[in-house]
Structures are given as C-alpha cells and as structure tokens.
Amino acid sequence: METHKGVSDRGGRTFQRFSVDTNESLHFEPCEDSSPSPTGIEHDEDNVFIKDENESEMTSIRNRLQGKVAEMENFAGHLEEIFLTVEENFGRQEQHLEQHHNDVLQTLSQRHNERAAGLVEEKKSKMEALYSQLLSCGQALDASKELIETAQEIYRTPDKRVFLKTVMPIIKRIEMFAKEKVDLTLSTKLDFETPQADLSDVKTMMDSVNAVPAPSAPVINPQMSNSATQTSLRVCWSLFSDDTVEYYDLYYRPVLEDTLADGFCQPHVSTVKVKETHCTVTDLLPNAQYELWVTATNTTGISPASEKALYMTVPSPPVIKQRECTSCPDAALIRWESGNTNPVDSYTVELSEMDTDGTQSSITESIVAVPTCQCLIQLLSGRRYLISVRAVNIGGPSDKSDAVYISTSGTFFYFLEETAHPCLSISEDGFTIFYGDEELPISAMALDDSAFTRCVAILGDLIPVRARHYWEVEVDEGTEFRIGVAYEDTERNSYLGVNGSSWCMRHILSSSRHKYEFLHNGWSPDLRITVHPVRIGVALDYDRGTLSFFNVNLEQHLHTFQCHFRNLVQPCFSLDNPGSLTVHNGIEAPEYTFI
Amino acid sequence: MALTQVSSNKCAGGLQKVFEHESVELKCKMKFAVYLPPKAETDKCPVLYWLSGLTCTEQNFITKAGSQLAAAEHGLIIVAPDTSPRGCGIEGEDESWDFGTGAGFYVDATQDPWKTNYRMYSYVTEELPKLINANFPTHPDRISISGHSMGGHGALICALKNPGKYKAVSAFAPICNPMQCPWGQKAFAGYLGSDRSTWEAFDATVLAASYSGPQLDILIDQGRDDQFLSASQLLPDNLIAVCSEKKIPVVFRLQPGYDHSYFFIYSFISDHIKHHAKYLNA
C-alpha cells in the first residue's frame, strides 16, 4: 500500500504537469490517496519498478489520447467553420440566383411588352390602309353603277332623236370610264412582319444563372525582399474573396531602357499559367527590371489585367580583382568588378575571421551600402580574414563573390603593372620583375601614360593607409637596382632618386666593389657597407616620416631617410642592369625595423 | 669596491651621476660617469659603455654628447669611464697629450713604468663591468660598447677581442688601424714595447681579419672634414677593406662637413644609441 502510494504520487504529479498544457475540460486531478509519501523510498525496488513502468506507459497513452482529443477538437472547430462558410456561401448564391431570375423575368416581360405594342401599331396601320382602299373601291362602284343606269336609261329612250342627242356625252363618259383603271390589289400585306426575336442577352443571362461571375482583376503585390535570385523572381498576388478563379496568367517582360529609348523592339512578353496565387518565374536576366501583371480566368471569362508591378532580379555576384587587393596590418583595400553590365545600387562587403586552425569562424562582419567597386576595411593585425562581396539592388543581394584571403601579418601589395617600363616583364606570381638584355622592337615601346620611360622601373600598389609598412626585396649580388618609395605621380622620364618625389637605395657595381647610394633629390650620403645585402628590408613609417633600409640577413640597419611624406607614396623598384628582383610581401615587420 | 658619489644631477628624467672608486686594476682612484634612465628606478637596464678619446675625462661625454635623452627613451644605462689612470706619479705621464695621462689607449701595458697602472683594457672589460653590475640595476649579459677616436679604437678592440660579450659596437671617428698611424705607433711602442707582433692584439683592423664569433654589426660615423682623418691617424679604409673581405657587417657613414669634435658626436649620438638599443633590448 505504501508502495502504491509512492508510485501514484509520481504518476499523479505527471498528470498534473500534463493537464496544465491542455484544455481545462481534460484536467486530471491527482488521486486523493496518492498524496506524497515521505517513506516511498524504503519500499520494494522491483515492485516499484514494474508499477513505475506501467504508470509511465499509461501516462504516455494518456498523453497520446489527450493529443488526439485536442486534434479532434481542432478538427471539429475547423468543420464548423467550413459549415458556416458553406452556409454563408449558399445563402449568397441563393440570393444571387433569385436576383438573376428576377432580372431574366423582367427582361423577358419587357421584351414581350415591346413586341406586343409593335404588333398593335402595325395592325392599326394595316386596317387603316385597307379601309381607305375599301372606301375608294365603293366610290368607284357607285360611279360605274350610276353610269350603267344612265346608259340603260338612254338606251331605253323611245325617242330616237332624244337618244341621238344625249348618247354622245354618255359614250364619252363610258369611254373615259373604260380608260379609268381601278386598282384592286391589296395595298397592304396580309402577313405581319415578325422579326426574329433577339434573345441572345437573355440566353446569356440564362446561361450565367448557373455560372460564377468572371473574376475581377487580381492585385499584384510589390516585390518582397529576398524573393528574387539572379535568374528568378517570386511573384505573389491576391484575388478578391468573392472571385472564383480557375487559373491565372502571369505576364512578364524585361524593362529595357535602351530599347525603349531607341523606340523599337518592344521586348517579348512571356506568359505562365498557374493555379496558385504565386509563381516563380525563371530563366531571367540578372540585375534586370521586369514588368509583371496577372489576369485571372474562370469558366465565365478573363478578368481585366492587374496593375503592372516592377520586380528586379538580383545582380550577378561581383568578381574580386585579386591582383588589385592590397593590405597592411591595420587594413585591407579590396577592389572588384561589378559583374553586372548595368549599375547596381550598392555593394556589401562581408568579412569573416579565420581561426588559428584554418577553419572559417562564423563571426562575420558586413559593410553595407558601399557605393563604388572598392572598399578600405579596418582590420586587426595578425589575423586572417576571408573577404567576399555581394552586389545589391532593390531585389536583394547577389550571391557571394569568390572570397579573397587577407592576412594582416604584414603589408601586402602587387606591382602596378601599368607603370612598368616596357623592358620589364613580371613573373606569373606577380612578385618578380625581369629586365632582359634583348632589344625591344619599337612597337613594344607603345607606352602607357603612367609607364616609366627612362628608368627601367615599376611602382607597387601600396594600400593608401598612412601607417607603418614593411616589405623585403631580394636581389642577386650582381644586380644594379634602385628600391624605395615614390609619390605616385613621380616623373616617369627621370631616374628614381634624382628628384624630390622619390627616395631610394641604389646599388652600383663597380669593378672593385659594391657601392651604395641612398638617393633623394639626386643627393646621397657618403656611406660604405661592408657586407652586400641580397635581401633588403624596406620600412616605411608615415607617422615618424622615416624610410629605412635593412640588410635582412644580418638585421643590419643601413640607412634611414627622414622625410615628411606629404602625399601617399608607392613602393618603387628599378633595375639598372639586366637581371631580376623579387618582392617579398606580407611579412611581419621585425621588431628592430621600427625602433 | 666602495663607490663614492662625486655628483648627481637629474637629467632627461633620470640621473647623471659621477662616482669615484679605488681601482684594483689601475691602482689609483678612478672616476666614472653613469647615466641612470628613468626606467632604472624600477627595472633592470642594459649598459652601454662609452670610451672617450685622447685628453678626455669622464666629463666630456656627459656634458657634450647629449646622449641622455636618447638613453632615457631606450632605457639604457651609459657608463663613461676616464681615459687613463691619473696621479700615479709615473715619470713622463703628463708630458704629452697623446701618451700617458688621458691617453691610456685601452691596452694592458707590458712595459715599465706603465705596466703597473696602465691596464685600461682590463679595467674597462673586467673591473668596471663587475663594479657596475654590483652597484646598479643592470642586465649583466646585456652590454655594448662605443667610443670616440681613441675610445672608438677601444670599443672596436673590446668587441673584437671578446666575441659575444658585447651585443653591439659602434664608433665615432675611431682609430681603426693604430699600428699604421703615428698616435698608435707612439702609444703601442710606449705601452707594449718594440715588438710589433704584440701590438696586433690591440689593433682593430688586425683583430677584424681574424675575428670569429657571433655576428657583429658595427656602425661607424666619420666626419669628412676631420683633420685627423686627413692626417691618416684614423685609417677607416683599412678596417673597411678587411671587414668587406671578412664579411663583417659595417655601415660606415662619412658625414660631410663634420670634424673630430663633440659637435660631430652630438649630431649622431642618437643614431648610435638606437643602434645599441636595437641589440640590447632585443
């Protein structure tokens, strides 16, 4: 008994918990005698276990039943609702039929009255015509009778003389009479004109007694956000609740400003037939505006067209120009191509930091409403990021572009290839320049405006951030070079270091030794370096206004220019004799470079 | 080993002090200057030893070179000893400005009457560092050395003779090849005797040619208008030639218009302190 109590208690509590979630009518009260037993724990373990199992099974069955009941109630409610709707619709339909019936009767009686009145009128005019003809006929008869009588009277006259005297006028009258023609044909037709009754409208009305009315124009919805893709649009519309619609026709055509402006070739209108009040149209052009409208059709007819709605497909994803992306420990400059022929509204740049183990972190930042095809992003140093871009128009954002990997360990840049002297060639990876000693054909000398013309030089594409930058340059022992920085507009027809817009380290190879100059404005300090550097560190510090050079292998400081750089500078590299030079990028600046 | 404070002046946030002590090596009272940067109040600091040139005392450098601001910035202690024993009563010690008093040449003399007191090499490389480490908050293993003229020669030989002991070395207008110049020949003959082979142990150019040890990075500034350069007392080209051949890294800067004075030192001292700080604070 004690055992039972203990277990019931557990069950009872379960019921209670369950009943809270359900309808009040299904409330289960815990049994009176299953009140908590403080001694329950002491009782037979097996018994408790079986009971417990039974109880839990019961509980689960009860739970299922409760669920079913709730479902059925729900269903009943639903049915009731349907019933009401049917009743309501039936009533409306009845009313509609009665109205229709009245309309038809009224129309028919009106037709009848019109027709009857017409017939009476016609009869009257026919009678009148016949009567007047009858009258004239009678008069003619009287006249002829009188003539006959007069003639007979004359004929019977005994007195020949009198006869002769009077006969002449009579003969004349008879002759005249004979000439007179009496019209004995009927002046009116005996038939009544009964034109074919036009009952087509009545027929239509009769037909429509059983049919629903044609639907009214559907209402097309404006574009919802995120309903479009690059090649598809999800379009929604609604109908009036009274309408019965068998299917819809969705019409759409691209809005092409160019062709409209030219005034020819109206774009082709496509149609889709759908049963639902929504449709996803596919095979569209990306980043294009479409005009869409809908008609609804049922057995009775086609509705007028809806208003025309303008939808826009989302743009194609932009294409990041990997070779034009540049970075430093504090920031990255990302450049991309739109990927779309017509303009988009803006771009969204998304960045996610990569974890140390190389997996992509879910933490993503977005920079929205970027108006142009480049974006300077502030970053934390010593991290690794994946950066991608989406193009955005009113229809929504495009898919992500391919991501560009940015490491903020050091400054990273490529060459500005358009600045290269025509004798320079660039390796495939973009970090080595070669100066071959073969003669170039004149045609190859067709120069870009920004290309160096005298000094066999090229600029780098340093991120426009006034911070600290460090890069390294690897050269062969026999290579004569100039490396340093220059204003972007440094004279293209002079040598690096000879003007006020460039600062560079120059290596000159003489027969006896290596000579080094640190050139700016054509002047260099007199300086001897005993160990020829083959890997040179270049450290640029805008804040301090310094440009320092190091022998990387020795960690040896070679020279520091002190200069306040008014403008942004670009790394510059030139080869003064045939050879090659390699830039090493994205290297963390050694501590000694910015002491 | 008792130190007597001679003076103490606040300077560049730290303290410029002068001490006197009884030198065991030199067997006389010696003064040295020590600059303690603000950082030394709380932390251990590396030490830069400065060796002055002919005729100088510990005062020249601390009053004329303007090193304290840069030392304070980089947290370096700078120790500047005197240039020779003084008042030893050796006959002829005060006869000339380029030998004897004020011209110890940072060698350990082997010849009478100098060999008892004139042990400046041992003094600056052994006794003085021990004294400094015992009395000031230093990192004993982070020391470097620099100097001017005769002191430049001293700095170079200390570094070249003790591979790894000094983390960095630099010099202003050093006597690079004393065996080949009148100053050096006079001093070496006096202190070391006539056997020129014994001179080689104190000649930077000779030492460089046989140097083997950790990578050095030598910074040398030289005024182009230095009268002693044109008088062939300094001979930097000889050292550079050897270092080029031996691939010992040297940056040698010939500074146009500068002479041999402390005005020249003052102009470039911060570059040198930065050079030392780079290796001392690494």
Side-chain angles (χ1 to χ4, degrees), chain A residues 183-488:
Chain A
D183 183 13
L184 292 177
T185 58
L186 279 171
S187 62
T188 60
K189 283 185 196 157
L190 291 176
D191 296 339
F192 276 91
E193 278 179 46
T194 50
Q196 193 63 43
D198 178 16
L199 291 173
S200 59
D201 50 347
V202 177
K203 189 169 153 46
T204 314
M205 285 172 87
M206 290 303 287
D207 285 348
S208 70
V209 168
N210 285 326
V212 285
S216 35
V219 176
I220 193 160
N221 296 352
Q223 185 167 11
M224 300 276 287
S225 56
N226 295 322
S227 64
T229 72
Q230 208 174 311
T231 56
S232 73
L233 291 169
R234 186 181 155 89
V235 190
C236 294
W237 57 89
S238 52
L239 72 161
F240 285 100
S241 56
D242 288 350
D243 284 341
T244 305
V245 177
E246 197 169 330
Y247 62 86
Y248 299 92
D249 284 298
L250 173 65
Y251 300 87
Y252 60 96
R253 67 166 173 233
V255 179
L256 302 174
E257 282 166 29
D258 296 354
T259 51
L260 281 183
D262 292 353
F264 79 102
C265 185
Q266 184 76 2
H268 173 72
V269 178
S270 310
T271 318
V272 207
K273 188 185 273 193
V274 281
K275 296 226 178 237
E276 299 81 11
T277 56
H278 57 85
C279 176
T280 301
V281 288
T282 54
D283 296 331
L284 305 179
L285 301 168
N287 194 34
Q289 200 173 37
Y290 281 85
E291 194 174 41
L292 304 107
W293 63 97
V294 191
T295 59
T297 305
N298 63 17
T299 44
T300 312
I302 304 173
S303 76
S306 68
E307 298 273 310
K308 282 175 179 166
L310 289 174
Y311 278 49
M312 193 105 188
T313 51
V314 304
S316 303
V319 181
I320 291 182
K321 296 192 270 192
Q322 305 262 351
R323 283 277 174 113
E324 292 180 31
C325 292
T326 164
S327 63
C328 68
D330 314 302
L333 177 65
I334 307 299
R335 296 185 175 110
W336 59 87
E337 274 164 10
S338 165
N340 294 279
T341 47
N342 41 342
V344 301
D345 292 353
S346 69
Y347 299 92
T348 299
V349 178
E350 295 180 352
L351 52 134
S352 59
E353 198 182 320
M354 287 171 78
D355 290 337
T356 43
D357 58 359
T359 56
Q360 195 174 340
S361 145
S362 57
I363 304 160
T364 301
E365 274 180 64
S366 295
I367 298 155
V368 299
V370 179
T372 54
C373 282
Q374 64 173 47
C375 183
L376 188 66
I377 309 157
Q378 299 298 316
L379 298 173
L380 298 172
S381 64
R383 312 290 176 93
R384 291 182 299 163
Y385 296 91
L386 277 177
I387 300 178
S388 56
V389 185
R390 295 178 195 264
V392 181
N393 67 14
I394 205 163
S398 73
D399 288 341
K400 271 187 192 180
S401 70
D402 285 342
V404 63
Y405 168 78
I406 298 288
S407 163
T408 54
S409 53
T411 292
F412 183 90
F413 59 88
Y414 285 95
F415 291 118
L416 279 168
E417 299 194 12
E418 67 272 19
T419 64
H421 185 279
C423 289
L424 279 183
S425 51
I426 299 164
S427 66
E428 209 165 302
D429 69 4
F431 296 115
T432 302
I433 51 171
F434 302 95
Y435 175 20
D437 46 5
E438 66 269 21
E439 285 283 309
L440 273 185
I442 296 294
S443 62
M445 303 294 271
L447 290 167
D448 196 289
D449 280 348
S450 57
F452 285 94
T453 55
R454 284 182 70 186
C455 193
V456 183
I458 190 168
L459 294 180
D461 184 16
L462 186 65
I463 187 167
V465 172
R466 296 184 76 94
R468 285 174 174 180
H469 301 287
Y470 177 78
W471 60 94
E472 292 177 359
V473 180
E474 195 181 333
V475 287
D476 291 329
E477 201 152 326
T479 309
E480 292 192 302
F481 59 82
R482 294 164 197 250
I483 57 173
V485 301
Y487 290 140
E488 196 166 7

Side-chain angles (χ1 to χ4, degrees), chain A residues 416-581:
Chain A
L416 279 168
E417 299 194 12
E418 67 272 19
T419 64
H421 185 279
C423 289
L424 279 183
S425 51
I426 299 164
S427 66
E428 209 165 302
D429 69 4
F431 296 115
T432 302
I433 51 171
F434 302 95
Y435 175 20
D437 46 5
E438 66 269 21
E439 285 283 309
L440 273 185
I442 296 294
S443 62
M445 303 294 271
L447 290 167
D448 196 289
D449 280 348
S450 57
F452 285 94
T453 55
R454 284 182 70 186
C455 193
V456 183
I458 190 168
L459 294 180
D461 184 16
L462 186 65
I463 187 167
V465 172
R466 296 184 76 94
R468 285 174 174 180
H469 301 287
Y470 177 78
W471 60 94
E472 292 177 359
V473 180
E474 195 181 333
V475 287
D476 291 329
E477 201 152 326
T479 309
E480 292 192 302
F481 59 82
R482 294 164 197 250
I483 57 173
V485 301
Y487 290 140
E488 196 166 7
D489 62 354
T490 189
E491 294 139 55
R492 300 297 199 256
N493 61 355
S494 75
Y495 284 90
L496 295 174
V498 304
N499 48 42
S501 56
S502 56
W503 295 255
C504 68
M505 172 179 178
R506 181 186 180 194
H507 172 227
I508 305 151
L509 199 58
S510 72
S511 55
S512 58
R513 63 186 184 99
H514 299 284
K515 192 171 182 306
Y516 299 92
E517 290 180 342
F518 292 88
L519 277 171
H520 176 57
N521 258 329
W523 185 86
S524 168
D526 192 341
L527 189 140
R528 302 271 295 275
I529 294 167
T530 55
V531 179
H532 174 65
V534 289
R535 189 158 173 143
I536 299 150
V538 183
L540 168 67
D541 188 333
Y542 276 105
D543 286 344
R544 293 199 207 170
T546 58
L547 174 70
S548 303
F549 295 86
F550 299 88
N551 181 332
V552 174
N553 296 334
L554 302 178
E555 303 190 356
Q556 183 188 28
H557 173 252
L558 302 176
H559 181 69
T560 295
F561 285 105
Q562 291 283 344
C563 179
H564 172 66
F565 300 106
R566 286 173 289 112
N567 306 323
L568 292 164
V569 293
Q570 301 288 18
C572 62
F573 313 87
S574 91
L575 290 166
D576 292 346
N577 68 355
S580 68
L581 173 157

Side-chain angles (χ1 to χ4, degrees), chain A residues 526-528 530 554-555 595, chain B residues 224 248 250 252 254 278:
Chain A
D526 192 341
L527 189 140
R528 302 271 295 275
T530 55
L554 302 178
E555 303 190 356
I595 288 172
Chain B
R224 187 184 276 164
I248 295 172
V250 176
F252 175 82
L254 197 57
K278 170 180 160 188

Side-chain angles (χ1 to χ4, degrees), chain B residues 69-135:
Chain B
L69 277 172
E73 182 193 340
H74 295 287
L76 302 189
I77 292 172
I78 303 184
V79 174
D82 203 346
T83 54
S84 76
R86 287 182 195 270
C88 297
I90 300 168
E91 189 187 347
E93 68 181 356
D94 296 324
E95 263 174 24
S96 55
W97 61 272
D98 57 359
F99 188 77
T101 302
F105 264 89
Y106 306 102
V107 298
D108 285 346
T110 57
Q111 303 297 307
D112 286 326
W114 312 103
K115 67 178 183 188
T116 310
N117 302 98
Y118 278 71
R119 297 180 54 78
M120 282 301 288
Y121 174 74
S122 293
Y123 176 68
V124 299
T125 56
E126 301 295 337
E127 185 181 2
L128 188 59
K130 279 183 195 146
L131 190 69
I132 297 298
N133 292 335
N135 289 281

